[in-house]
Amino acid sequence: RTFEPDEPTFFFQPKNTLFEKISKKDLMAKNLKNSHICLGGTIGNFYNQEKLFEMFSRLSEKGEYLILGFQLDNNLNWIFKKYKSNPLFPSFVLNYLLPEKRKLKWSVNIETGVITAVHNSVEVFRTTKYNSEKLKKIVEKQGFEFVYEDVDEYKNSCLHVYIKK
């Protein structure tokens, strides 16, 4: 929200790789505090949230930031219906199949906030929607301190900022 095109205050070095392949050396910057930024549904694609944030912790030094953008679970049934009823979604995740073979079996777990789509017993889509307080506890267990939260006016999307203790 404070980015000024004439006077950049936000510098980044993109990495085109998997989280699992990133090392601390990849994240080092000269005289700058690193920020690990994970926006969108990326964190929701992982099966084991504890291990995901353990990895962020392992890659972070004291004083570095972790910035997470995610969708809240407040409207989980509505979100689920949107995914399930989207006529373009089967083409998106099963584009390698003939249209008549693009059949998805959808499910939602209200307790965990996980929405999945399965084709022929293979999970082809996964997303997790979060309760803000539960996510804070998971991340704080990995040595991060909660700093800031911003929620959109519809109480749908959320941004968390943490600092490594």
Side-chain angles (χ1 to χ4, degrees), residues 43-55 126 128 130 138 142:
I43 61 173
N45 296 335
F46 284 79
Y47 288 97
N48 188 324
Q49 300 295 299
E50 301 282 340
K51 291 227 182 260
L52 172 66
F53 292 110
E54 183 180 291
M55 179 190 59
R126 156 180 288 271
T128 305
Y130 295 93
I138 292 170
Q142 298 302 327

Side-chain angles (χ1 to χ4, degrees), residues 67-89:
I67 302 169
L68 303 175
F70 56 95
Q71 199 167 16
L72 294 165
D73 64 359
N74 297 334
N75 303 305
L76 192 57
N77 285 319
W78 180 81
I79 294 167
F80 174 66
K81 286 176 188 171
K82 286 292 192 184
Y83 280 119
K84 189 175 178 179
S85 66
N86 185 332
L88 300 175
F89 211 86

Side-chain angles (χ1 to χ4, degrees), residues 138-151:
I138 292 170
V139 178
E140 287 175 336
K141 272 193 219 176
Q142 298 302 327
F144 289 96
E145 180 180 336
F146 177 76
V147 175
Y148 174 76
E149 176 180 82
D150 191 11
V151 178

Side-chain angles (χ1 to χ4, degrees), residues 117-135:
V118 174
H119 173 75
N120 287 345
S121 74
V122 175
E123 187 178 281
V124 293
F125 174 77
R126 156 180 288 271
T127 186
T128 305
K129 309 308 176 192
Y130 295 93
N131 171 286
S132 180
E133 293 305 314
K134 285 182 184 176
L135 185 60

